[in-house]
């Protein structure tokens, strides 16, 4: 992946950390929830189409931002936390080259084929 894109994703990850710091949660919540969106991979138990849809729902930054803004609007810190963690996790995934999934299979992402990813 292009270095500039990786830097952008690192900046977005840092933004997620900053937004978390504005919330009233202990830092152990951040560590405990950082990988939680990957539970959406269980959708693949229902096949590639269901898996891609589940995975993409929980890794779409637009959804993460909408959840966060809804939390701000409703003054619900739990919704804000959910949005921040979805956003931060998605940025981390993209920093490491894991993108949104195509229905063809888990290894096929909008950032390229994971099997062909340079190490």
């Amino acid at each position: 992946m292009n270095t500039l894109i990786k830097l952008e994703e690192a900046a977005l990850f840092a933004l997620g950390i900053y937004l978390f710091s504005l919330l009233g949660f202990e830092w152990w919540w951040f560590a405990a929830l950082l990988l939680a969106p990957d539970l959406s991979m269980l959708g693949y138990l229902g096949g590639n189409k269901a898996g891609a849809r589940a995975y993409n729902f929980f890794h779409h930054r637009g959804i993460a931002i909408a959840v966060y803004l809804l939390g701000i609007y409703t003054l619900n810190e739990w919704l804000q936390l959910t949005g921040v963690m979805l956003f931060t996790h998605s940025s981390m995934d993209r920093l490491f080259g894991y993108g949104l999934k195509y229905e063809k299979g888990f290894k096929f992402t909008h950032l390229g084929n994971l099997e062909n990813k340079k190490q």
Side-chain angles (χ1 to χ4, degrees), residues 79-96:
L79 280 176
Q80 292 175 47
L81 174 66
T82 301
V84 165
M85 295 314 301
L86 291 172
F87 180 87
T88 306
H89 174 85
S90 296
S91 297
M92 179 187 70
D93 268 6
R94 288 182 177 96
L95 176 63
F96 294 121

Side-chain angles (χ1 to χ4, degrees), residues 12-112:
L12 291 172
F13 181 76
L15 174 63
I17 293 171
Y18 171 73
L19 292 174
F20 178 85
S21 77
L22 300 177
L23 301 174
F25 292 93
E26 299 291 329
W27 280 97
W28 68 264
W29 281 99
F30 185 85
L33 296 174
L34 186 59
L35 297 178
D38 280 340
L39 290 173
S40 63
M41 288 188 280
L42 292 173
Y44 280 95
L45 294 173
N48 286 339
K49 187 174 185 177
R53 287 182 178 182
Y55 184 92
N56 291 343
F57 180 82
F58 288 98
H59 287 78
H60 194 290
R61 283 195 295 228
I63 291 171
I65 292 168
V67 170
Y68 178 72
L69 292 176
L70 180 63
I72 289 173
Y73 180 74
T74 61
L75 302 176
N76 185 324
E77 202 168 44
W78 288 98
L79 280 176
Q80 292 175 47
L81 174 66
T82 301
V84 165
M85 295 314 301
L86 291 172
F87 180 87
T88 306
H89 174 85
S90 296
S91 297
M92 179 187 70
D93 268 6
R94 288 182 177 96
L95 176 63
F96 294 121
Y98 298 100
L100 298 174
K101 307 302 182 201
Y102 291 120
E103 293 178 358
K104 188 175 177 181
F106 183 81
K107 63 185 175 183
F108 301 99
T109 79
H110 82 286
L111 298 175

